[in-house]
Amino acid sequence: MTIATIADFPRERLAHLPTPLEPLRALSNHLGGPQIYVKRDDCTGLATGGNKTRKLEFLVADALRQGADTLITAGAVQSNHARQTAAAAARFGLRCELVLARSVPWRDPGYETLGNVLYDRLLGARLHFVAGDVDRAEAMRRLAERLRDSGARPYVIPVGGSCPLGALGYVECAAELLAQTDAQGLSPDALVLASGSGGTQAGLVVGCQARGAAFPVIGVCDETPWEAVAGAVRPIADGVADLLGAVADIDWGRVEFLDSYAGPAYGVPTAETVAAISLVARLEGLLLDPVYSGKAMAGLIGLVRQGRFREGQTVLFLHTGGSAALDAYPSAFVNLEP
Ligand SMILES: *Cc1c(COP(=O)(O)O)cnc(C)c1O
């Protein structure tokens, strides 16, 4: 594959790049396994950061090129993607309309007012709460139609910004990450990340393989079954390879999906999620999140404890952000001992 054409795509700078690649020494020592490094995409800098910012650089550029004046997107109520989209819209003087689905069975009183929802409001987005089972793409289409009828020029960003254009951001991230591992003299044995709507993992798979990286890219799924996540990742990876004019010979043998840390439902942290979040907070002073990166870290810890990785190996963990949602989940942490 070749990535010669990525610079041809319009892009608006939103992220603080490169994000750091840092060793998690205390966590690595505690687990007694591989050396774990964290790629800090929680530090992309846009209204508390996160992984959607890299995708939005390409999506917002496309919206501006089309003359849009409004960004529409959708997600769960505590969507980090929605919050980053609201911030990107604010930055470029665009209006923002968010379809927020009540899909998560979580009952903390602040779930619909704190965390990402508070930031959405601060950033000036208009919020449309809908039932959890509403078809989000259809809801966005209808909203776009309504706005068009009233003279607006809406641009619809798919859930999670997960489409080939958005995934270009993670093709770039792969290049950035591999330059950092080279510079630090690391030879990674795996890359572990939280995977949901699929754009992040898809971009990383294409970006890593295009640069000849042989290690597996392991997506810890935010919900079960893993086939649902794989079914999202695969067409986006094929699409982004296609966008780049790359020969689409993706080696799916080096792409893994792990759904045994997802728990009973999307957006619901398990005891293992809470344990992983508190362990990393206490050993590293690093905040994960209850929906994605906490589950992904629980997955990584589980893999180390099962002996999948051993001493002397190097594992990269992509921190995709999301700690803004912690404020909506106080009851998950209320029983933690100091
Ligand atoms: C959206 C999100 C993910 C998942 O990324 P996808 O590209 O949707 O698979 C992971 N972590 C956090 C914190 C997110 O907000």
Side-chain angles (χ1 to χ4, degrees), residues 2-7 9 168 171 206-207 210 239-247:
T2 148
I3 55 167
T5 57
I6 198 158
F9 291 86
L168 284 177
V171 176
V206 172
V240 77
D242 209 41
L243 261 190
L244 292 169
V247 187

Side-chain angles (χ1 to χ4, degrees), residues 51-52 55 80 162 194-200 289 292 320-322:
N51 64 330
K52 305 311 182 303
K55 304 178 185 183
N80 302 301
S162 283
S195 199
S197 65
T200 304
D289 85 274
Y292 296 100
T320 44

Side-chain angles (χ1 to χ4, degrees), residues 50-52 55 79-81 83-84 159-160 162 193-201 222 229 233 289 291-293 319-323:
N51 64 330
K52 305 311 182 303
K55 304 178 185 183
S79 166
N80 302 301
H81 167 65
R83 180 251 310 156
Q84 286 162 84
V159 171
S162 283
L193 72 147
S195 199
S197 65
T200 304
Q201 193 176 4
D222 62 1
V229 175
V233 170
D289 85 274
V291 180
Y292 296 100
S293 58
H319 189 341
T320 44
S323 64

Side-chain angles (χ1 to χ4, degrees), residues 44-60:
T44 51
L46 185 64
T48 77
N51 64 330
K52 305 311 182 303
T53 302
R54 289 184 192 265
K55 304 178 185 183
L56 286 163
E57 291 195 339
F58 292 94
L59 294 166
V60 168

